[in-house]
């Protein structure tokens, strides 16, 4: 059996999520034709890398990312570092002939992303951008309903990703709130919202957007007063090429929220609703059902997608067991490694990442100029 060997760069929450996905694949998918091994990790300090390797059983506590990128024992480079570092790391990994699994956004500019996608295309290696929410069973079912034509022509949508982590001025800023390292809520949360609407509803035509900084001054990472330089909330109107019009929002200043990612999509024949806080269910309204004075058969139906993944997944812990947030990462990594093993392309790849980047840059231009921007 082929063993696919992986080096992880960065080991914050996302690095841990990726490691969980890799190490637990055999629990969730039967008869894997490959095995996956994390051979090493590179973090901000050698001491931290050694501690993580000891804790998780990795072999190589790399002193620099180049040690893993240039190692003949590493097949895949997994990038979980701050956004501003992606570009240089991606170039090195592509030139070293590695398959690449990269956290979103791909880069901090459209020009960088275009260059990376072009290099990756020429490399003939597998590349994937991490939009893990695509791999929740409810989203898989939502995509299936659209492809079956069950909601008809899409007319409108509302989608948002809301956090409360920056809802207080006393909360210290992290790197994701610092524009200088590629931070901002549009890159962090809004990219997921954009990708989901692109994935389920179609390509964008134009956007009109505005940003919000609720707390111009807050505590910085060094504990001193810091001037906020990145969007804390982002609001966007969007027109799609198929004629649908809708709203997209991303916020870290929405008190009372946790990990609230949700969407409503309305078509001629039906509608769908989803909330990440209720991930085991997809709400579906069938507008073709009969209606009478007492309502007939109309109404939103709660589809129990729970843990019902297609074979060879979905058997553990049970198809009827509630699904968890981490399963999006497990499903994403499974699809990626299957592509690495078979040599076939995966999706979403770096070309999809470039498209999301184009939409984000169009939105930033719109917010700057106060006008609609064509994507």
């Amino acid at each position: 059996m082929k063993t696919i060997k992986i080096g992880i760069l960065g080991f914050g929450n996302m690095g841990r999520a990726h490691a969980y996905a890799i190490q637990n694949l055999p629990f969730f998918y039967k008869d894997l034709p490959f095995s996956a091994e994390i051979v090493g990790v590179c973090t901000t300090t050698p001491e931290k890398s050694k501690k993580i390797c000891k804790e998780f059983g990795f072999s190589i506590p790399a002193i620099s990312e180049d040690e893993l990128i240039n190692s003949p024992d590493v097949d895949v480079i997994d990038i979980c570092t701050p956004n501003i570092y992606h570009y240089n790391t991606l170039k090195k990994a592509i030139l070293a002939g590695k398959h690449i699994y990269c956290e979103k956004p791909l880069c901090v500019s459209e020009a960088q992303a275009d260059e990376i996608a072009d290099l990756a295309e020429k490399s003939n290696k597998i590349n994937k951008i991490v939009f893990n929410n695509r791999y929740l069973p409810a989203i898989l079912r939502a995509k299936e309903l659209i492809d079956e034509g069950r909601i008809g022509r899409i007319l409108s949508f509302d989608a948002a990703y809301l956090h409360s982590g920056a809802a207080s001025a006393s909360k210290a800023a992290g790197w994701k709130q610092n524009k200088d390292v590629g931070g901002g809520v549009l890159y962090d949360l809004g990219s997921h919202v954009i990708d989901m609407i692109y994935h389920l509803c179609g390509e964008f035509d134009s956007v009109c957007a505005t940003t919000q900084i609720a707390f111009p001054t807050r505590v910085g990472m060094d504990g001193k007063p810091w001037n906020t330089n990145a969007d804390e909330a982002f609001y966007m109107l969007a027109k799609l090429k198929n004629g649908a019009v809708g709203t997209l929002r991303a916020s870290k200043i929405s008190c009372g929220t946790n990990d609230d990612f949700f969407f409503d999509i309305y078509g001629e024949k039906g509608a769908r609703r989803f909330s990440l806080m209720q991930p085991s269910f997809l709400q579906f309204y069938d507008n073709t059902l009969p209606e009478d004075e007492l309502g007939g058969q109309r109404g939103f139906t709660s589809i129990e997608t729970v843990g019902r993944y297609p074979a060879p997944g979905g058997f553990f812990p049970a198809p009827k067991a509630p699904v968890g947030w981490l399963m999006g990462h497990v499903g994403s990594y499974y699809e990626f490694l299957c592509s690495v093993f078979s040599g076939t392309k995966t999706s979403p790849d770096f070309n999809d990442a470039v498209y999301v980047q184009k939409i984000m840059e169009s939105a930033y231009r719109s917010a700057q100029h106060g006008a609609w921007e064509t994507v």
Side-chain angles (χ1 to χ4, degrees), residues 43 50 76 78 87 105 116 136 141 154 169 175 189 215 238 279 362:
T43 64
K50 288 177 183 177
V76 171
D78 182 329
Y87 173 71
I116 292 300
L136 294 170
R141 180 65 175 131
I154 296 172
W175 73 262
L189 303 181
F215 301 99
S362 296

Side-chain angles (χ1 to χ4, degrees), residues 28 137 279-281 305-309 316-325 327:
F28 297 106
S280 293
F281 299 93
T305 54
V306 283
R308 301 178 188 275
Y309 279 95
F316 177 82
K320 294 184 178 180
V323 72
W325 177 86
M327 284 306 299

Side-chain angles (χ1 to χ4, degrees), residues 178-201:
N178 188 344
K179 189 176 182 180
D180 294 337
V181 291
V185 74
L186 181 62
Y187 276 179
D188 187 24
L189 303 181
S191 55
H192 280 294
V193 184
I194 291 169
D195 175 71
M196 189 57 64
I197 294 303
Y198 164 52
H199 177 55
L200 296 179
C201 299

Side-chain angles (χ1 to χ4, degrees), residues 97-274:
K98 305 300 183 185
H99 305 288
I100 303 173
Y101 192 77
C102 184
E103 269 294 335
K104 53 76 197 165
L106 187 63
C107 297
V108 295
S109 75
E110 182 182 335
Q112 287 184 351
D114 268 327
E115 181 183 349
I116 292 300
D118 185 56
L119 287 173
E121 190 74 22
K122 293 174 182 176
S123 75
N124 293 318
K125 296 293 183 178
I126 305 303
N127 58 80
K128 191 176 187 73
I129 192 75
V130 183
F131 285 120
N132 49 289
N133 292 308
R134 287 193 184 198
Y135 295 92
L136 294 170
I139 305 303
L140 297 175
R141 180 65 175 131
K143 177 66 172 170
E144 188 176 61
L145 287 169
I146 288 181
D147 291 345
E148 291 172 353
R150 294 289 298 280
I151 72 164
R153 182 169 65 98
I154 296 172
L155 304 176
S156 64
F157 54 87
D158 176 41
Y161 209 152
L162 310 178
H163 281 190
S164 59
S168 170
S170 63
K171 178 68 178 294
W175 73 262
K176 290 185 178 181
Q177 285 80 54
N178 188 344
K179 189 176 182 180
D180 294 337
V181 291
V185 74
L186 181 62
Y187 276 179
D188 187 24
L189 303 181
S191 55
H192 280 294
V193 184
I194 291 169
D195 175 71
M196 189 57 64
I197 294 303
Y198 164 52
H199 177 55
L200 296 179
C201 299
E203 293 186 348
F204 284 57
D205 175 76
S206 54
V207 295
C208 184
T210 189
T211 66
Q212 181 183 12
I213 293 177
F215 301 99
T217 303
R218 63 167 65 245
V219 179
M221 287 182 283
D222 59 0
K224 299 177 181 179
W226 179 72
N227 294 325
T228 306
N229 65 2
D231 42 291
E232 297 177 319
F234 206 96
Y235 310 91
M236 190 191 318
L237 288 170
K239 298 176 183 176
L240 304 188
K241 290 184 177 180
N242 60 18
V245 179
T247 61
L248 302 92
R249 294 173 287 146
S251 172
K252 289 196 172 182
I253 54 174
S254 299
C255 79
T257 61
N258 291 286
D259 196 33
D260 290 19
F261 173 52
F262 59 87
F263 60 76
D264 297 331
I265 299 174
Y266 303 98
E268 286 184 301
K269 294 182 179 179
R272 289 157 308 150
R273 289 176 176 168
F274 171 77

Side-chain angles (χ1 to χ4, degrees), residues 282-331:
L282 175 70
Q283 305 296 322
F284 175 56
Y285 184 91
D286 190 342
N287 201 40
T288 67
L289 291 175
E291 181 181 27
D292 61 25
E293 291 180 349
L294 297 178
Q297 298 178 37
R298 295 285 179 89
F300 273 94
T301 298
S302 186
I303 300 175
E304 47 181 40
T305 54
V306 283
R308 301 178 188 275
Y309 279 95
F315 70 96
F316 177 82
K320 294 184 178 180
V323 72
W325 177 86
L326 280 166
M327 284 306 299
H329 283 284
V330 174

Side-chain angles (χ1 to χ4, degrees), residues 60-73:
I60 305 172
I63 295 174
S64 74
E65 66 177 22
D66 293 347
E67 185 177 348
L68 293 175
I69 290 172
N70 296 320
S71 171
D73 294 325

